[in-house]
Structures are given as structure tokens and as C-alpha cells.
Amino acid sequence: MALLTHLLACTFGMGSWVAINGLWVELPLLVSVLPEQWDLPSYITIIIQMANVGPLFVTLMHRFQPGLLKEVPVIYVVVSIGVVACFLLAFLWNYTSPIAGRTHSTAFLVLTFFLALVDCTSSVAFLPFMMQLQPQYLTTFFVGEGLSGLIPALITLGQGSSISTCVNISRVVNITTGNETMETTIYRLETRYLPANFSTLVFFLLMTAMMLACLLAFFFLTRQPKVWELSQRQLFPSSVVLSSFDQLPDKGVGSRLSGGCPCPKDAKGPGDILPKKVSYSLAKLTFIYFLITWVSALTNGVLPSVQSYSCLPYGNTAYHLAATLSSMANPLACVVAMVLPNRSLALLGILTMVGTGFGAYNMAIAVMSPCPLLQQSQWGDVTIVLSWVLFTGTLSYVKVMAGVILRGRSHSALVLYGVVEQLGSLLGALLMFPLVNVYGFFKSDDYCSLQCPA
């Protein structure tokens, strides 16, 4: 029975961010088809920030109307929306319509908003429910959250999405000089995309199946014995959702806010329930929150908006590998944080500078697009892929360890963690969207027809 509950908790956690993670790793194929092309990542970034109205609404309801929202019906509604949106996306993802004189992938963008709404709302809905189960299932839940990024990445690696080749295309054109018209043949290299091992339709149906598995897992979890009989009283009698974390055992507190990774276990006896408070000066706390804001702005707003511009000049294969492997780097960083935790603020500051350096390289390549450094060299492909993986991995570790540090201080510190994380993400997205889509600061071109100086 315990093994079955662990499996259900893992499957339930997997549904928390699997839809949006699936979109990110499928982007190398989508940008070659949808009309937004290289601008598509910036659209997704700003849509995700708009979807934060979901958790904001839930939090405000618990603040001003405590007890009105029950987490079980909310989760049923949220996950059901995710199942329906994923299913519709499988058939409507390439539907376009004209808006303001430009063609846009209307269905894809609208359904992406609903998927982001589901995943963002899961941040304030899933964990309070898991608090009702035995504490050993929390770790399994966070393992499932890590798989929500790993499994879609493995699927796209098997899909072989957006593998391309350059084809020499000949065209006959008429050239008129004076009174004579002559036919001439013009040769031009154009990109042709090789068929994937399975289509985008199948990929989104697989995402639908994973969301449906999450829904079924939740159905069976609601029938598991609870630690506290919350159904006999109002669920959230105090101010906000996070106030109920006071009943949460130590190994789960702060995990969700620190990027969905289970925090490393402290060396405590089995009787220790709440973490020991750690005293930090105001300057050190300000530094920690600055790191969180800065890292969130880079990883959730600034750099994802230009990933296509920094990778596609090296070809679709480089973009495909950068998107999938960097997605894997996030759960890997969570594992490293569990095995090798380090609360040194000096180390976190150094890692932030290192990660920012990789991010600066990615941004510089995007600015130089479509003719970046080492474009005609395999070293350019290797460098950009490694840069994205190391950028994601190092900064993910910083976010996890910042959550661990604040977990040891107070629960209100974790609430502020969530606030500054969302603030940083929002600022990053708002900064990049006009640069990419309004002012056209970044340039794109067909990879095979590029004419860059040697």
C-alpha cells in the first residue's frame, strides 16, 4: 500500500509543471512552423507571467474569504483544465488567424495561457493538499516535480524534433535588360526539416496522458488516510495559503518555492518538526533576496525570451539539444543540492556570477544573431549547448539553496521568497518582450541561407 501511495504521489507531482516544460522542450520544432518563429519564446515567457493571476486569485481568496475555497475541488478543476487544454493543443496548435495585420498562432497562444494558469496555480494548490498525507510522501511528490521537466525532455530527444538539413534549390527567373528578356537559373540553399520520429500531435497527446495520469493519481490520493482531519473544519483559517506551512514537517518546507526541488535534509532527530531558526543580518538577508530576484529574472524572463536567437544561428540541432539538456539540468541541480548542500553566501554569490557569465554569453550570441561567433565551427554548437546547460544548472542550484537558507529562518521568509521570485520573473519578461517583439532588437534569418562574413 505504501509503495502504491508513493507512486501516486510521484505521478501527482509530475503533473505540476509538465505541460509548460513540455512546451519549452518542443519549441525547436514549433518555431519552424508557427508564424511567430524566433519570437515565440518571448511570447510564452510573457504569457506565463500573465498566468500568475491564478495563484494570486487563490491567495487573495484565502486572505479575504478564508474557508471559501477548498483545495480538493480547486485541484480537480485546475488539473481538468490542463487535460482539456493539452488535448485541444494536440489538434489546434498550428491554427492561425490575423491579428492587427499579422498572422499569429492564436490557438497555441490561448491554450498556452491556460496551461500556464494550471501550472502556476499548482504552486499554491498541490502542496497544501500533500500536507494532509504522511510526511514521507512529500519527498516522492518533489521527485515527481523533477520528473515533470525530465520526462518531456527525454520524449523530445526520442522524437528527434526539428532536425534539419540544407537543400540546394534552383529557381528559374526572367531578367530583362533593354529589349531582351533572358531566363536564368538561381541557386539558393534553403532549410528543409526532416520528419520527426513522431509528430507534434503525438507529443501533445503524450502530455495529455501525463496530465490525465496526474488527475487519476489525485483521485486515489484523496482516498488515502490523512494526517489531519481538515475536512471537518475550514481549510485555511489564517491569512494565506503559506500560513498552513506551520504544520508541515521540516523536509518539505520551502521546497516548492525554491524551484520545485526537495530541500536537503538537515541533520535532525526524528522528533524535530520545525526547522531551527537561523539569524542573519539585514544586509545578508537583503543579499539573499537580491540573488533570488536576479536569478529569477535571468532564468524565468530574460534568457528564455532569446534562447531561439542564441541557438538557431548554429542550426536546429543545437537549439534542440540546448532546450532539452538545459531542461534536464534543473532536476539535476536539485539532486546536487540534496547530496552536496552548501549554505555559504560567498559560494552562492560566486555561483551566481558564474551563472550570470554563462547567461551573458548566451545573450551576447543572441545580440550577434544571425551571425554569432564560431558559427561555421562545431565548437560553436558545443559551446552554446554547454553554456545553456551550465547557466540553468548553476542558477538552479542557487535558487534551491536560497530556499533552504530561508526555510531555516521563518515561514514568512518563504512567503517573501515567492514574492521576489515572481517579481524578478515578471521584470525579466516585461523587459525582454518589447525588445524582441516591438523594437526588433534581435535579428533572425534562415540558417542555410545566411551570408555572414568569414
Side-chain angles (χ1 to χ4, degrees), residues 290-345:
F290 170 76
L291 289 185
I292 296 168
T293 307
W294 177 259
V295 169
S296 299
L298 293 182
T299 57
N300 299 337
V302 176
L303 270 302
S305 299
V306 296
Q307 187 177 36
S308 54
Y309 289 94
S310 69
C311 296
L312 278 174
Y314 298 100
N316 290 76
T317 301
Y319 186 20
H320 175 55
L321 291 176
T324 53
L325 296 181
S326 62
S327 180
M328 294 180 183
N330 189 289
L332 180 60
C334 297
V335 174
V336 173
M338 292 176 63
V339 178
L340 299 172
N342 194 312
R343 300 170 184 242
S344 168
L345 295 186

Side-chain angles (χ1 to χ4, degrees), residues 8-129:
L8 292 175
C10 181
T11 306
F12 179 54
M14 187 177 61
S16 58
W17 281 90
V18 69
I20 291 300
N21 288 333
L23 287 181
W24 281 118
V25 296
E26 189 71 358
L27 272 183
L29 188 148
L30 298 176
V31 297
S32 64
V33 179
L34 297 180
E36 290 80 9
Q37 296 184 332
W38 293 23
D39 294 342
L40 190 60
S42 65
Y43 278 93
I44 294 179
T45 302
I46 199 70
I47 286 173
I48 292 175
Q49 299 309 313
M50 293 169 57
N52 278 304
V53 297
L56 178 62
F57 171 77
V58 173
T59 303
L60 291 178
M61 287 295 294
H62 288 310
R63 172 64 179 88
F64 297 106
Q65 296 290 333
L68 185 61
L69 285 181
K70 310 294 185 184
E71 91 279 11
V72 171
V74 168
I75 293 175
Y76 271 125
V77 171
V78 165
V79 180
S80 298
I81 290 175
V83 172
V84 174
C86 272
F87 183 76
L88 293 177
L89 197 60
F91 299 95
L92 302 176
W93 67 273
N94 56 353
Y95 175 81
T96 61
S97 62
I99 299 177
R102 295 181 60 185
T103 302
H104 287 281
S105 46
T106 315
F108 176 84
L109 297 177
V110 171
L111 292 173
T112 295
F113 172 79
F114 283 104
L115 291 180
L117 188 68
V118 169
D119 291 358
C120 292
T121 308
S122 72
S123 301
V124 295
F126 284 20
L127 190 57
F129 170 78

Side-chain angles (χ1 to χ4, degrees), residues 6 13 26 50 58 62 80 100 112 114 138 192 213 219 231 237 239 252 260 267 337 353 362 393 442:
H6 278 293
E26 189 71 358
M50 293 169 57
V58 173
H62 288 310
S80 298
T112 295
F114 283 104
L138 280 171
R192 289 291 182 268
F219 172 79
S231 59
S239 57
M353 288 190 291
N362 298 337
F442 301 91

